[in-house]
Structure formats: C-alpha cells, structure tokens
Amino acid sequence: MAQCPAELDGVFLALADPTRRAVIHRLGRGPASVSDLAGAATMTLPSFMKHVRVLESNGLIHTVKSGRVRTCLLNRERFAVVEDWLARQRRLWDERTDRLEQFVTDPKEENTP
C-alpha cells in the first residue's frame, strides 16, 4: 500500500500525544461518548475536543452525533498505515542485519590479510 508521507506524518502526529493515545486505548474496548472520554482527562472539554478533532482529522476515529451526545468510534483500518510502514522498516533492518551477520561470519573474510 503506497502512502503519502503527509498521511503517515498525520497519523504519527495524532499518536504522539499521551491524551490521544489514552483515547485510542479506551476506544479499543468499544465506542464511548466524548463526555465519558473527557472525564478521564484532566482538562476542560473545549481543550479535550481539540484532541478529538486531531484524531478524527487524521482518520483514527469517527464521531457520530445523536441528539446532544457525540459518540467516538475507533477506525481500526486506519492503523494499517502504521503497520505497513513498520513492516517496511522491519524488512529493511532485517536485511541490513542479515548482511552484517554474513559479513562478520563469512569464512572468506577471515583468510584475507
């Protein structure tokens, strides 16, 4: 899956804040209202809503309003952006460490003066 660097940057930006990570962690157990999520945070509701907007604008959560209640839902598919990036990094470093191991353990290297 090819990704725009800005897309990946936005997801990492959203996950960089401990408050937003706590929201993601909580939503991993299921949907929750903004007021329930904000109750666990030590800030005002308007400040908390900024965090919700960052998560939503980067596609990590969706919100649905029903009457006066706004419910947040985790968008699990969005985490594929991070998973794909991490998989590419893992492959890159596995290849590098494999080459290093081969260089260090290659018997041809030991016989050269």
Side-chain angles (χ1 to χ4, degrees), residues 1 7 10-11 13 27 32 40 43 64 75 81 83 87 97 110 113:
M1 171 179 174
E7 179 182 27
V11 171
L13 171 79
L27 292 176
M43 62 186 71
V64 178
N75 180 10
V81 171
E83 290 171 4
T97 56
E110 293 175 9

Side-chain angles (χ1 to χ4, degrees), residues 22-64:
V23 169
I24 294 295
H25 179 74
R26 167 54 191 88
L27 292 176
R29 295 191 313 260
S33 70
V34 168
S35 51
D36 287 343
L37 294 168
T42 56
M43 62 186 71
T44 64
L45 185 58
S47 294
F48 183 77
M49 284 304 296
K50 290 178 183 178
H51 290 286
V52 170
R53 283 191 288 278
V54 169
L55 291 168
E56 191 169 27
S57 68
N58 287 291
L60 294 169
I61 67 170
H62 297 291
T63 61
V64 178

